[in-house]
Every structure is written in structure tokens, then in C-alpha cells.
Amino acid sequence: MSGFVFSEKPITIESGEGPYLYDDNGNEYLDFGANYAVTPLGHSHPAVTDAIQSQAEALTYVQASYPNTVRTELYDRLAAVSPGDLENVWLCNSGTEANEAAMKFARAATGNSKIVATKRAFHGRTMGALAMTWKKKYKAPYEPLAGDIEFVSYGDAEELASVVDEETAAVFLEPVQGEGGIHPATVSYLESAREITEDVGAALVFDEIQTGVGRTGTLWACEQSGVVPDMLTTAKGIANGLPLGATLCADWIAENHGDHGSTFSGNPVVCAAANATLETIVSEDIPTHAGDIGSYLMESIEAAAEEHDLPVRDVRGNGLMIGVEVKRGANRVLRDLALNSGVLALPAGRTVVRFLPPLIIEEEHADEVGTALTEALS
Ligand SMILES: *Cc1c(COP(=O)(O)O)cnc(C)c1O
């Protein structure tokens, strides 16, 4: 039997270590995307595995209205590393739930319902977050979705200013659009979004579910702009593979958040994994490494494209969030990478090959992928 929602790949993955995955025949794959940004420290990182094991022996569940030391530690850690003063932490189980909570909190805190999102955005697949997601294919079979959402062109501050008004609850932005094709925002766009929302008392929400946890060279991508949102959502890599989402909120949001909840909020095993992940990422300064190695990889892909006259239209991204726009279908390139070189990557739209490797990769791994991509495109 197989699940019916995902179309499954023809390899069975059984184990992983660092940037490598292994199938049931012992074949090795270099994971530059199969982890979907979920394992910044690589697969089966020993510090995270130890934390999971010892917490599983102590306690696997208690509801979040009972304080628990590992959960409190995670609240404190996230508050300490949040941009600005987003010290109020809501914990949930996925990215889409973190965004759902942000939508609810913004509506409760402002008393408004209108939410502004961007074309090409991806914010998740539940009925609220899906309504803020752009792609019609993801939405059409499930309509009607949550209402009162308006879309603007990503990067156009004037259009944003013309749509955001006194009726607006929130503006949602990815600092680098991921799923939509790897499009980084400019600093001035994020600054404008901050001014425009502040002027009318709307919440600015940064969806850092893909950009966060060090991927772009700083712990949060928005740090590079100096812009502090009213809420920041994170998930994917925050517990190095265990299901965790978080919504980090400013005081004015937390003070008037309505009545929200979730059974598994702040599960101790998941919190223990997140504590170990954050501790390792911060103490080993993994974000700086991700920024350096990301620049190295991007430059080597650009150099190879020029030298070998590869069918590449654009190479863009930030840190280890890289998109290579090719002049042919991305899926064929991805297939060649996997079958001929054992390199796993993922698409972002029809023509973009997306690399989201674990942040602990070294130059040798980047070189291997550069060579594999050159072969696949030659
Ligand atoms: C993956 C992703 C989500 C959704 O996260 P899930 O955990 O799959 O619900 C939301 N926003 C962005 C930017 C993402 O990359």
C-alpha cells in the first residue's frame, strides 16, 4: 500500500546521516532538497537524537497549560533570539498552523478582517493559510476558503500602499519567496511594508518558515533588513525534523489574541529537539557558515553556467536557499540529477531547480552538486 496524497518517488529512503540519505539497497544520495529545509543540522544529528531519546524516557506529553521545563526553555530561547521584541511565543505543529494562528491573532488584535498577501506566495495548505497562497491549482478544488484576502505583486511598495488601509488586519510576506520560485525581497520593500502597516495599525507578518533558522546567513532572514515585524512564523527546520511550528508575537498582538489552542502545542519531545537544534545552530554559528557556503555554491553555479554555456536563465537566492532558473523543464533536470549523480533537489515552479541543503554542508558537497548540475544541463 502507499499513501494517496503524495505521488511517491521510486526510491525507498531508510536512513540518513549529515547531508546524506540512504535507500533500502544501501545507495547513497546527497540531499540538497529532499529534506525541504527541515534538517538544517543534517539527518540524524547526534545532539538532537540524544535530546529526543532522553526526553522520551522522561515524558512524552503534558498539555501546555501545565508548565514544563523543556517547553519553558524553548519559549525563553525563542524569545531571546527573536528579532526585536517578539517575545510572546505560540507553539504548534506545522508551518500552516503557525500562519493560521498569525491570521487569527492579527484579526483579534486589530478587530479587522482584511489580509493582504502576495502573488506567488506560499503560506500553507489549511483553509486560512491556503487562502493566502497564490497558486490556483492548490486552491480550486477546495473553495470556498477563508475570505477577505487581497493579493498584491511581490516587491511593489506602491501597490501595497494602495491596498493596505484602516480595515487591514495584516500583511503577510516571505522575506524570500520559496515555493514561488526563490525571489528575495529588497531591503527597501520590507522597510516600506513596515511603514505602510505601521501607519494604519495593521500587523506585519513575516513568514520565515522556509527562510528561518539560519538558512539565509542570519538566524532570521529579516535581520538582514533591520525590519522587525509584529509576528514572525517559523516551522520546517526549527526542530531538525520533528513537527514544530511557532508564531512569535509582539506584545500588542499577545495582549489581545482571542482564544486559541491546540492539543499538541509545546509537546515536550518536540521542544527538546528544538532546544538542541537552536543551541547547536547558535553556539556553532551555523548561519554564518550557511551564508558563506551559499555564496560559494551560487558563484560556482554561475561560473559553470558561463564556462559551459549552460541553458540557465538566472541563479538567485540568499544563503542556502538557491534557485536556478533553467531554459527547460525543471523536473527533467531533477530526474537527471537524482538518477545520474545521486543528488536530490526540488522544483520551485516549472522552470526553477531549488536547492535547500542542510546548513552543515561543506565546499566538497557544493562542488559535487555544481558538477552534477553541469552534467545534467550539458
Ligand atoms: C512549507 C511552508 C509553509 C507550510 O508549512 P507546513 O509545515 O507544510 O504546513 C508555509 N510557508 C512557507 C514559506 C513554507 O515554505
Side-chain angles (χ1 to χ4, degrees):
M1 279 295 279
S2 55
F4 75 96
V5 170
F6 281 97
S7 66
E8 293 182 348
K9 309 257 186 318
I11 47 173
T12 299
I13 299 295
E14 300 289 16
S15 63
E17 194 182 344
Y20 294 104
L21 287 168
Y22 300 92
D23 71 13
D24 52 351
N25 295 315
N27 296 312
E28 183 179 275
Y29 301 89
L30 184 53
D31 180 5
F32 265 52
N35 73 99
Y36 268 82
V38 170
T39 59
L41 298 176
H43 295 284
S44 308
H45 189 279
V48 181
T49 303
D50 285 352
I52 293 169
Q53 277 173 344
S54 45
Q55 184 55 43
E57 280 162 23
L59 182 72
T60 54
Y61 181 76
V62 67
Q63 207 253 343
S65 58
Y66 295 88
N68 164 268
T69 307
V70 287
R71 189 191 313 112
T72 304
E73 183 187 332
L74 181 57
Y75 287 147
D76 291 343
R77 275 183 194 281
L78 285 170
V81 300
S82 78
D85 51 359
L86 307 184
E87 291 175 357
N88 308 279
V89 180
W90 160 252
L91 297 175
C92 54
N93 316 291
S94 66
T96 198
E97 284 171 82
N99 282 336
E100 273 319 299
M103 293 174 88
K104 289 173 74 175
F105 295 161
R107 284 183 169 178
T110 62
N112 291 329
S113 65
K114 184 165 97 181
I115 288 173
V116 178
T118 55
K119 294 175 184 171
R120 295 189 313 234
F122 184 84
H123 294 299
R125 308 252 200 181
T126 50
M127 296 302 237
L130 184 59
M132 305 193 293
T133 290
W134 175 246
K135 217 187 227 179
K136 294 283 169 289
K137 182 177 96 167
Y138 295 158
K139 304 204 284 192
Y142 307 118
E143 283 169 345
L145 310 172
D148 218 357
I149 315 286
E150 277 195 50
F151 287 93
V152 293
S153 300
Y154 187 77
D156 186 338
E158 256 175 58
E159 192 187 353
L160 188 65
S162 73
V163 164
V164 173
D165 57 23
E166 250 87 59
E167 320 271 86
T168 306
V171 172
F172 277 73
L173 290 176
E174 297 159 84
V176 182
Q177 286 188 324
E179 184 78 23
I182 310 290
H183 299 281
T186 61
V187 170
S188 77
Y189 182 58
L190 298 181
E191 285 170 349
S192 301
R194 179 64 287 180
E195 275 170 34
I196 292 163
T197 45
E198 208 154 80
D199 279 352
V200 296
L204 178 63
V205 186
F206 285 161
D207 176 342
E208 293 238 20
I209 290 165
Q210 197 166 137
T211 52
V213 201
R215 179 150 301 275
T216 68
T218 44
L219 191 62
W220 311 111
C222 68
E223 288 171 43
Q224 292 164 42
S225 67
V227 175
V228 177
D230 301 294
M231 283 184 268
L232 181 150
T233 56
T234 175
K236 291 212 162 83
I238 190 80
N240 209 57
L242 264 59
L244 178 69
T247 310
L248 314 184
C249 307
D251 290 342
W252 73 273
I253 302 281
E255 276 156 16
N256 198 356
H257 62 270
D259 190 335
H260 189 55
S262 172
T263 299
F264 288 121
S265 173
N267 172 279
V269 176
V270 179
C271 289
N275 285 328
T277 303
L278 275 171
E279 163 66 28
T280 309
I281 284 183
V282 171
S283 69
E284 296 182 9
D285 196 12
I286 304 273
T288 301
H289 175 75
D292 293 345
I293 200 95
S295 304
Y296 175 81
L297 176 58
M298 200 140 50
E299 281 159 23
S300 45
I301 294 171
E302 277 164 353
E306 186 148 340
E307 188 187 334
H308 302 283
D309 199 19
L310 302 176
V312 168
R313 219 180 287 280
D314 191 20
V315 184
R316 54 181 182 257
N318 192 359
L320 282 173
M321 188 169 177
I322 297 174
V324 181
E325 189 165 343
V326 291
K327 296 181 188 164
R328 56 175 76 163
N331 278 327
R332 217 186 87 197
V333 180
L334 291 167
R335 197 174 144 269
D336 287 353
L337 282 173
L339 294 182
N340 302 335
S341 309
V343 169
L344 306 180
L346 62 157
R350 273 201 311 271
T351 56
V352 177
V353 174
R354 178 169 38 154
F355 295 119
L356 297 174
L359 309 184
I360 45 84
I361 60 157
E362 299 293 344
E363 284 186 6
E364 64 187 272
H365 306 111
D367 290 342
E368 196 179 326
V369 169
T371 306
L373 187 66
T374 304
E375 279 167 19
L377 289 171
S378 290

